[in-house]
Amino acid sequence: MLRNGLEPWHLLILAVIVTVAFGSKKLPDTARALGKSLRILKSEAKAMKDESAR
């Protein structure tokens, strides 16, 4: 058992629920948007770090 109480079957159930809730057609678009958002967040965080180092 993992420290936080999640077991592999918990993740399987979560994946099934997400697939049913969002539908299989919307999942790639959602993942793409999430990836784009994370890239923007990383670049902004890096810019703030570089700016504070000056």
Side-chain angles (χ1 to χ4, degrees):
M1 179 148 81
L2 301 175
R3 283 187 174 180
N4 58 4
L6 287 177
E7 294 185 13
W9 64 272
H10 290 133
L11 298 176
L12 179 64
I13 291 172
L14 182 64
V16 169
I17 291 171
V18 168
T19 303
V20 168
F22 292 109
S24 60
K25 291 184 179 181
K26 289 188 179 182
L27 285 178
D29 294 334
T30 305
R32 194 174 301 116
L34 180 63
K36 186 183 275 189
S37 298
L38 287 175
R39 273 185 299 236
I40 291 170
L41 179 66
K42 281 176 68 175
S43 68
E44 291 296 324
K46 185 176 186 253
M48 287 176 61
K49 184 178 176 184
D50 290 343
E51 188 175 293
S52 67
R54 291 182 194 175

